[in-house]
Amino acid sequence: ENFFYEGEVDGGGLIREHRQRDVIFKAWKRLGMRDDDIGVLSDADETPTRDFLRAVQICDIPQLRVEEQDCHSPKLVMSSMVFEGSPECMTVTRKWMHPDFMLGKCIEGVGDDRYKLSARQRKREFAWRADKFSAKFNYSGWPKENELYPLWNPADFRRDTGGFSIMFEDVDYLPFRMGHTGFHFHNYFETTQQLRTKYMTYGHPVQTADEMAIGEIHPDLDLMVDCVLGKPSHQNKHRTLP
């Protein structure tokens, strides 16, 4: 089943993304998602590792204990290894902190609607929550007597702070020594025209991408080009494994 939103959008590309994910949330609800189910939110090029998925199935993870979860900081955030355009171009100076996991109890449309934020309590409709209703600002605008903190809509789930980064091993070839619990297969396209189309139309568009050299469009693409051509990456924003 495919989930998409093609209507008019007030707010730009990222609001379109959040509305598309809102359709997914509604499908979760329609298919019977419950408080103790786990939602996984990811882009098409992001995936958790098999080991982490298995750990979620069999391990006692504090953030996934339904009775103890108050939705203050409910996200489990993957630490993903980034492959830029090719499995031969592994980036070693960055981590991608997605995909994300969350109990249904804290997901808008699944959890208790008494704790749902109104559109006025958000930056705009379908957008992320206003600062005073976020973990970053210690929920300063949320009534202290409430049993739970606000439910998380798709925009919150994807981009708001309030969770725990999960990484398995300490690795000496990465500057931050962070192991990985996910993979980010970034910019995997068959043609350069598809690549240009992405950068002209996605949530952070580069309007003149069709007039630029591939490596000029974005630092990630500059790294990808050097990696594919076998050039050193020490002068790039990020570097690949030698």
Side-chain angles (χ1 to χ4, degrees):
E1 189 172 0
N2 296 319
F3 308 106
F4 54 88
Y5 178 83
E6 293 186 329
E8 293 296 321
V9 172
D10 176 21
L14 287 177
I15 295 298
R16 179 175 293 279
E17 287 187 19
H18 299 323
R19 294 199 71 154
Q20 288 171 328
R21 294 186 178 110
D22 184 67
V23 176
I24 295 173
F25 274 33
K26 286 182 171 60
W28 285 349
K29 177 67 172 180
R30 187 174 71 249
L31 295 171
M33 190 176 191
R34 302 177 304 184
D35 281 5
D36 60 349
D37 289 321
I38 300 170
V40 182
L41 195 64
S42 69
D43 281 354
D45 58 358
E46 302 162 356
T47 181
T49 64
R50 178 189 179 279
D51 287 344
F52 185 75
L53 283 175
R54 187 63 178 142
V56 169
Q57 290 178 314
I58 64 177
C59 296
D60 178 23
I61 300 176
Q63 291 74 35
L64 301 181
R65 297 172 186 165
V66 179
E67 297 303 322
E68 298 177 17
Q69 181 56 259
D70 63 3
C71 303
H72 181 287
S73 301
K75 284 202 298 184
L76 285 180
V77 182
M78 304 301 95
S79 170
S80 289
M81 181 182 294
V82 181
F83 294 90
E84 193 62 56
S86 165
E88 297 182 0
C89 299
M90 188 181 92
T91 306
V92 297
T93 51
R94 67 181 293 205
K95 283 290 182 182
W96 186 247
M97 307 313 289
H98 295 295
D100 308 290
F101 288 50
M102 189 181 296
L103 276 175
K105 180 180 181 178
C106 300
I107 294 174
E108 187 175 293
V110 178
D112 191 331
D113 278 344
R114 289 179 298 169
Y115 305 107
K116 177 182 177 180
L117 292 173
S118 68
R120 295 183 63 183
Q121 292 171 314
R122 297 190 170 279
K123 299 289 187 179
R124 63 192 312 150
E125 189 177 12
F126 295 102
W128 47 93
R129 57 191 62 190
D131 290 343
K132 63 182 179 179
F133 300 111
S134 69
K136 184 177 180 180
F137 291 86
N138 201 31
Y139 294 101
S140 60
W142 190 246
K144 302 302 181 185
E145 64 272 16
N146 284 348
E147 293 182 10
L148 298 179
Y149 289 91
L151 299 178
W152 294 59
N153 80 348
D156 302 326
F157 199 155
R158 179 65 181 181
R159 59 147 285 161
D160 215 47
T161 57
F164 297 82
S165 299
I166 307 295
M167 56 208 75
F168 280 159
E169 74 272 17
D170 176 29
V171 290
D172 58 9
Y173 59 84
L174 295 176
F176 303 109
R177 304 185 69 89
M178 293 166 57
H180 65 280
T181 45
F183 299 106
H184 185 30
F185 302 105
H186 196 221
N187 286 323
Y188 276 51
F189 292 97
E190 293 184 350
T191 68
T192 55
Q193 186 54 52
Q194 292 173 344
L195 197 58
R196 294 179 190 278
T197 299
K198 171 208 166 172
Y199 276 89
M200 286 190 293
T201 59
Y202 80 143
H204 316 276
V206 180
Q207 302 292 348
T208 58
D210 59 339
E211 302 171 4
M212 304 166 68
I214 293 296
E216 295 174 342
I217 297 173
H218 193 278
D220 292 343
L221 297 182
D222 186 31
L223 177 66
M224 182 189 75
V225 170
D226 285 349
C227 177
V228 169
L229 295 178
K231 295 182 178 180
S233 60
H234 60 273
Q235 293 184 339
N236 298 76
K237 180 178 179 181
H238 299 294
R239 295 193 298 276
T240 53
L241 189 68

